[in-house]
Amino acid sequence: MLNEKVAALLNDQVNKEFYSAYLYLDFSNYFEARGLDGFANWYKIQAQEERDHAMLFYQYLHNNCAKVTLGTITKPDKVLDSDMTVLKAGLEHEMYVTDLINNIYAAAHEVKDFRTMQFLDWFVKEQGEEETNASDLISKMELFGSDPKGLYMLNSELSGRVYSAPSLTL
Ligand code: FEO
């Protein structure tokens, strides 16, 4: 049986990950409208990954006989008025998600829930990668984004991103 507080935080994370998917779909939506299909592709795949994360939390709860309650997914509310605003909002969001994961980890640690800590280890690593990806994107945009040819090249690079299922399976 999962500790009540740990289970509640894991359940909340299902919702938070679906919100992340929705937020990144909004980012993709922004770039579709800009005509930057590579950026749109990058964020669409990011949205798919977030849905995978949500499903991992969902399945982990079920595997541990916990009840899952699905809540309302909040409307993405970031004002997306420039390419850089989107990229920076992405990094800010990932840092927020890292805090959420750390918070669940701390709650699991407090009650010696080593199984949940082990489950979360994958997410701790994943958050490190996601923060790096988001900040790399900002650096590249700072270097090349103001030049149309540079932006075109960056867009082409991002169009090459392909979806791959998470390495964690339950
Ligand atoms: Fe599911 Fe981008 O963290």
mmCIF file of all heavy atoms in Angstrom, residues 24 36 40-41 50 52 57 89-91 103 115 136 151 158:
data_model
loop_
_atom_site.group_PDB
_atom_site.id
_atom_site.type_symbol
_atom_site.label_atom_id
_atom_site.label_comp_id
_atom_site.label_asym_id
_atom_site.label_seq_id
_atom_site.Cartn_x
_atom_site.Cartn_y
_atom_site.Cartn_z
ATOM 1 N N TYR A 24 2.864 21.993 -24.200
ATOM 2 C CA TYR A 24 3.771 21.847 -25.338
ATOM 3 C C TYR A 24 3.016 21.783 -26.662
ATOM 4 O O TYR A 24 3.537 22.202 -27.697
ATOM 5 C CB TYR A 24 4.681 20.629 -25.147
ATOM 6 C CG TYR A 24 5.757 20.889 -24.115
ATOM 7 C CD1 TYR A 24 5.939 20.044 -23.020
ATOM 8 C CD2 TYR A 24 6.589 22.004 -24.228
ATOM 9 C CE1 TYR A 24 6.923 20.311 -22.069
ATOM 10 C CE2 TYR A 24 7.566 22.270 -23.276
ATOM 11 C CZ TYR A 24 7.726 21.420 -22.209
ATOM 12 O OH TYR A 24 8.697 21.697 -21.269
ATOM 13 N N LEU A 36 7.077 27.772 -38.755
ATOM 14 C CA LEU A 36 8.335 27.101 -38.387
ATOM 15 C C LEU A 36 8.012 25.644 -38.033
ATOM 16 O O LEU A 36 7.828 25.289 -36.863
ATOM 17 C CB LEU A 36 9.006 27.843 -37.226
ATOM 18 C CG LEU A 36 9.603 29.210 -37.587
ATOM 19 C CD1 LEU A 36 9.979 30.001 -36.331
ATOM 20 C CD2 LEU A 36 10.835 29.066 -38.488
ATOM 21 N N ALA A 40 7.704 23.350 -34.515
ATOM 22 C CA ALA A 40 6.380 22.767 -34.224
ATOM 23 C C ALA A 40 6.514 21.262 -34.006
ATOM 24 O O ALA A 40 5.921 20.697 -33.085
ATOM 25 C CB ALA A 40 5.417 23.055 -35.371
ATOM 26 N N ASN A 41 7.346 20.629 -34.840
ATOM 27 C CA ASN A 41 7.587 19.183 -34.692
ATOM 28 C C ASN A 41 8.236 18.875 -33.353
ATOM 29 O O ASN A 41 7.834 17.945 -32.653
ATOM 30 C CB ASN A 41 8.490 18.714 -35.841
ATOM 31 C CG ASN A 41 8.963 17.290 -35.658
ATOM 32 O OD1 ASN A 41 8.156 16.364 -35.625
ATOM 33 N ND2 ASN A 41 10.261 17.091 -35.496
ATOM 34 N N GLU A 50 5.330 13.899 -22.864
ATOM 35 C CA GLU A 50 4.660 14.252 -21.601
ATOM 36 C C GLU A 50 3.445 13.365 -21.358
ATOM 37 O O GLU A 50 3.159 12.987 -20.224
ATOM 38 C CB GLU A 50 4.260 15.731 -21.595
ATOM 39 C CG GLU A 50 5.411 16.709 -21.723
ATOM 40 C CD GLU A 50 6.440 16.592 -20.606
ATOM 41 O OE1 GLU A 50 6.212 15.882 -19.618
ATOM 42 O OE2 GLU A 50 7.505 17.222 -20.746
ATOM 43 N N ASP A 52 3.287 10.313 -22.318
ATOM 44 C CA ASP A 52 3.907 9.066 -21.839
ATOM 45 C C ASP A 52 4.209 9.148 -20.346
ATOM 46 O O ASP A 52 3.984 8.184 -19.603
ATOM 47 C CB ASP A 52 5.230 8.789 -22.577
ATOM 48 C CG ASP A 52 5.025 8.400 -24.039
ATOM 49 O OD1 ASP A 52 3.918 7.948 -24.383
ATOM 50 O OD2 ASP A 52 5.975 8.557 -24.824
ATOM 51 N N PHE A 57 2.950 7.460 -14.585
ATOM 52 C CA PHE A 57 2.456 7.705 -13.218
ATOM 53 C C PHE A 57 1.122 6.988 -13.006
ATOM 54 O O PHE A 57 0.895 6.381 -11.948
ATOM 55 C CB PHE A 57 2.306 9.216 -12.957
ATOM 56 C CG PHE A 57 3.615 9.880 -12.649
ATOM 57 C CD1 PHE A 57 4.308 10.586 -13.619
ATOM 58 C CD2 PHE A 57 4.184 9.788 -11.382
ATOM 59 C CE1 PHE A 57 5.540 11.179 -13.347
ATOM 60 C CE2 PHE A 57 5.406 10.373 -11.083
ATOM 61 C CZ PHE A 57 6.081 11.075 -12.082
ATOM 62 N N ALA A 89 9.763 29.862 -21.698
ATOM 63 C CA ALA A 89 8.644 29.285 -20.936
ATOM 64 C C ALA A 89 8.834 27.773 -20.797
ATOM 65 O O ALA A 89 8.479 27.181 -19.775
ATOM 66 C CB ALA A 89 7.320 29.597 -21.622
ATOM 67 N N GLY A 90 9.427 27.162 -21.822
ATOM 68 C CA GLY A 90 9.699 25.720 -21.785
ATOM 69 C C GLY A 90 10.695 25.375 -20.681
ATOM 70 O O GLY A 90 10.475 24.441 -19.906
ATOM 71 N N LEU A 91 11.769 26.147 -20.608
ATOM 72 C CA LEU A 91 12.777 25.886 -19.568
ATOM 73 C C LEU A 91 12.178 26.125 -18.175
ATOM 74 O O LEU A 91 12.357 25.306 -17.271
ATOM 75 C CB LEU A 91 14.009 26.778 -19.780
ATOM 76 C CG LEU A 91 15.103 26.647 -18.709
ATOM 77 C CD1 LEU A 91 15.619 25.212 -18.599
ATOM 78 C CD2 LEU A 91 16.260 27.604 -18.987
ATOM 79 N N ASN A 103 9.820 16.920 -4.957
ATOM 80 C CA ASN A 103 8.888 16.971 -3.836
ATOM 81 C C ASN A 103 8.273 15.593 -3.561
ATOM 82 O O ASN A 103 8.149 15.169 -2.413
ATOM 83 C CB ASN A 103 7.800 18.008 -4.181
ATOM 84 C CG ASN A 103 6.992 18.390 -2.983
ATOM 85 O OD1 ASN A 103 7.504 18.418 -1.868
ATOM 86 N ND2 ASN A 103 5.710 18.653 -3.200
ATOM 87 N N ARG A 115 10.445 1.770 -3.133
ATOM 88 C CA ARG A 115 9.926 1.403 -4.458
ATOM 89 C C ARG A 115 9.596 2.654 -5.277
ATOM 90 O O ARG A 115 9.949 2.768 -6.447
ATOM 91 C CB ARG A 115 8.684 0.532 -4.296
ATOM 92 C CG ARG A 115 8.208 -0.026 -5.630
ATOM 93 C CD ARG A 115 6.862 -0.692 -5.467
ATOM 94 N NE ARG A 115 6.920 -1.784 -4.522
ATOM 95 C CZ ARG A 115 5.840 -2.326 -3.944
ATOM 96 N NH1 ARG A 115 4.639 -1.868 -4.216
ATOM 97 N NH2 ARG A 115 5.956 -3.319 -3.098
ATOM 98 N N ASP A 136 19.609 24.354 -24.072
ATOM 99 C CA ASP A 136 20.373 24.299 -25.337
ATOM 100 C C ASP A 136 19.626 25.021 -26.460
ATOM 101 O O ASP A 136 20.216 25.712 -27.286
ATOM 102 C CB ASP A 136 20.608 22.845 -25.772
ATOM 103 C CG ASP A 136 21.735 22.188 -24.982
ATOM 104 O OD1 ASP A 136 22.367 22.878 -24.175
ATOM 105 O OD2 ASP A 136 21.950 20.968 -25.181
ATOM 106 N N LEU A 151 17.997 30.873 -38.524
ATOM 107 C CA LEU A 151 16.699 30.380 -38.027
ATOM 108 C C LEU A 151 16.202 29.233 -38.906
ATOM 109 O O LEU A 151 15.676 28.231 -38.405
ATOM 110 C CB LEU A 151 15.679 31.530 -38.007
ATOM 111 C CG LEU A 151 14.319 31.222 -37.391
ATOM 112 C CD1 LEU A 151 14.437 30.834 -35.916
ATOM 113 C CD2 LEU A 151 13.371 32.427 -37.526
ATOM 114 N N LEU A 158 15.546 20.948 -36.057
ATOM 115 C CA LEU A 158 14.487 20.498 -35.135
ATOM 116 C C LEU A 158 13.428 19.639 -35.837
ATOM 117 O O LEU A 158 12.739 18.853 -35.192
ATOM 118 C CB LEU A 158 13.825 21.708 -34.454
ATOM 119 C CG LEU A 158 14.764 22.541 -33.578
ATOM 120 C CD1 LEU A 158 14.021 23.713 -32.953
ATOM 121 C CD2 LEU A 158 15.429 21.703 -32.487
#
